Amino acid sequence: MDSKPSSSEVSFEFPTLFRIYKDGRTERLMGTETVPPSTDPTTGVQSKDIVLSPQSGLSARIFLPKLPDPTRKLPLLIFIHGGAFVIESPYSPLYHNHVSLLASEANVVALSVHYRRAPEHPLPVAFEDSWDAVQWAAAHSNRNGPEAWLNDRVDFDRVFIGGDSAGATLTHHVVRQAGLYGLSGTRIVGMILFHPFFVNDKPGKLLEVIYPTCEGSDDARVWPGKDPKLGEIGCGRVLVFVAEKDFLRDRGRAYYEALKKSGYGGVVEIVESEGEGHVFHLFNPSCDKAVDLVRKVVFFINQD
């Protein structure tokens, strides 16, 4: 009996998300749909796609809200999407709509980062790309960077960094980097973690496949709870969202508790959405709890 050709043999499958074939191909099972940049007919938010690094392919979608005063400087929200480090992008309908909504409601310029994804680019590439994107944005603080919307419209004393799930893990990493190494010309006011994906006791099969050099639960990039420098993150305020029915809820709570005990000198807040699951706000943005979540983000950004 002939064996199946190698191209159809699966070496690893993460149910509903992706599979890797023995010939090296990756098939994403969801999160591949994209929408073009546009001007939202309801809110007037404009978006466009930009390349941050031609060498690596690092790119982003940037959003500009409609405001009556074109000279007004706005906060910057750098957003890092989730999807298990493997699926989704700033160009997917879920994230395009979510970041556009945040730009409109909070009156921020939003930079939604398209990092290189695993498994084609194993971790820690996504961590490196995310930090490169933050540094690229910060370089506009001298007002002569390559992107006019950042040069002309952003107040670099009011920068926020946020992300959901795996993107929240990446968000913590870049804010930690900023705390340890600085970010010239830029003040990160706050960090927003939506349902963060952190490791607890052991990495699990997913990270074994997409992050083969992971140092286990002692790796500060995936589990910051044991990081001796956790309290040195480079922002003054932290907002952590968890959801009652999310399998990652306890990890988000553990992060919140670890940060409070770390000697961190800023303000940390946690908000739990009762009866909801992982990143529910992306899939049902008009439900009352998703609206409330966005309202809390808007207050967090605009309270100072």
Side-chain angles (χ1 to χ4, degrees):
M1 180 177 177
D2 293 336
S3 61
K4 294 181 180 179
S6 61
S7 61
S8 65
E9 294 182 11
V10 176
S11 63
F12 176 77
E13 180 166 353
F14 194 89
T16 76
L17 293 184
F18 73 102
R19 61 174 64 103
I20 304 172
Y21 293 93
K22 288 187 176 180
D23 63 4
R25 289 185 302 116
T26 296
E27 180 184 8
R28 290 175 171 84
L29 306 176
M30 62 181 297
T32 60
E33 184 183 358
T34 62
V35 294
S38 60
T39 298
D40 189 289
T42 302
T43 65
V45 172
Q46 301 175 64
S47 60
K48 62 181 178 180
D49 295 339
I50 54 177
V51 175
L52 280 56
S53 171
Q55 292 75 28
S56 68
L58 178 62
S59 59
R61 178 163 289 179
I62 189 169
F63 297 80
L64 181 68
K66 182 179 181 180
L67 292 173
D69 181 2
T71 66
R72 177 183 170 190
K73 296 293 190 291
L74 305 174
L76 172 65
L77 171 64
I78 300 174
F79 187 87
I80 308 176
H81 73 85
F85 304 103
V86 175
I87 64 169
E88 300 291 354
S89 76
Y91 321 124
S92 74
L94 285 178
Y95 286 104
H96 174 89
N97 293 338
H98 178 58
V99 180
S100 180
L101 176 66
L102 293 177
S104 173
E105 293 294 318
N107 288 328
V108 296
V109 177
L111 183 73
S112 187
V113 178
H114 187 33
Y115 53 85
R116 287 173 289 174
R117 298 171 301 181
E120 297 93 337
H121 302 281
L123 299 176
V125 169
F127 292 94
E128 296 161 356
D129 280 355
S130 298
W131 178 231
D132 286 347
V134 171
Q135 292 179 296
W136 179 90
H140 290 74
S141 62
N142 59 16
R143 306 298 174 186
N144 64 356
E147 175 47 53
W149 286 1
L150 295 182
N151 291 332
D152 300 340
R153 301 306 300 271
V154 167
D155 178 355
F156 284 92
D157 285 326
R158 293 190 293 157
V159 173
F160 296 81
I161 304 182
D164 69 291
S165 196
T169 310
L170 298 171
T171 294
H172 164 82
H173 172 73
V174 299
V175 177
R176 178 186 187 271
Q177 294 289 95
L180 295 179
Y181 305 113
L183 201 60
S184 179
T186 301
R187 172 176 169 253
I188 301 175
V189 177
M191 173 171 67
I192 308 165
L193 305 180
F194 301 88
H195 307 168
F197 172 32
F198 293 126
V199 171
N200 44 14
D201 296 327
K202 53 185 179 179
K205 187 61 178 178
L206 173 64
L207 283 183
E208 289 178 12
V209 170
I210 67 173
Y211 191 3
T213 60
C214 180
E215 298 172 5
S217 60
D218 290 329
D219 192 318
R221 283 173 288 203
V222 293
W223 174 226
K226 294 183 180 179
D227 182 5
K229 297 183 179 180
L230 175 60
E232 299 179 37
I233 57 172
C235 67
R237 291 193 271 118
V238 176
L239 177 59
V240 181
F241 287 101
V242 296
E244 181 186 12
K245 295 184 178 180
D246 183 4
F247 73 104
L248 296 174
R249 181 191 69 165
D250 291 345
R251 303 184 194 185
R253 285 194 166 278
Y255 174 87
Y256 166 74
E257 295 294 342
L259 186 57
K260 287 199 302 179
K261 296 174 183 176
S262 69
Y264 172 59
V267 177
V268 56
E269 177 186 2
I270 190 166
V271 176
E272 180 166 340
S273 301
E274 295 181 358
E276 299 293 348
H278 190 59
V279 297
F280 71 94
H281 56 284
L282 297 179
F283 299 98
N284 192 8
S286 62
C287 74
D288 290 345
K289 290 174 184 174
V291 171
D292 185 59
L293 180 149
V294 170
R295 187 180 298 118
K296 285 181 168 62
V297 173
V298 171
F299 178 77
F300 182 77
I301 290 175
N302 292 289
Q303 63 182 286
D304 63 342

